[in-house]
Amino acid sequence: MSLLETARAVRENAHAPYSGFKVGAAIRAASGRVHAGCNVENAAYPQGTCAEAGAIAAMVAAGDTEIAEICVVADAPEPVPPCGGCRQKLSEFAGPEVPVTMATMDGRTLTMTLGELLPRAFSSSRMARE
Ligand code: THU
């Protein structure tokens, strides 16, 4: 199954009764393994989590810590970019060269690097004093 197919499949499991906006994400780790996540909303709205965050959690739980590629899919007129918080979450495990593919349900895709989506990312190296 391709990364896009995995993202589309996990999107079906999204719990999005409040927004009605289901999102699926699939990460290919440097190990070659694929990890998937969907958005999980909550009646206490701020407690909801994005699909990317779910995929990252599944990846880390499975023992991978390096993202090689990620695909995000949603039913939208244009490919949906990860939210700002998820860009930062991705940057914990992905370098600026990592491709982020955004896809619509009708098959349109847009691929950008994480560095294009999150220039001058904050990372632990920014905290170095010397
Ligand atoms: N959402 C994601 O899962 N990923 C994104 O990149 C954008 C937004 C979810 C959060 C919320 O459950 C719904 O989409 C509407 O914002």
Side-chain angles (χ1 to χ4, degrees), residues 65-82:
T65 53
E66 202 181 323
I67 297 174
E69 192 184 348
I70 178 166
C71 179
V72 183
V73 64
D75 188 7
E78 300 290 333
V80 170

Side-chain angles (χ1 to χ4, degrees), residues 15-16 19 21 23 38-41 49-52 72 80-83 86:
H15 177 71
S19 71
F21 191 67
V23 185
C38 55
N39 53 332
V40 181
E41 297 182 349
T49 50
C50 286
E52 296 89 330
V72 183
V80 170
C83 77
C86 284

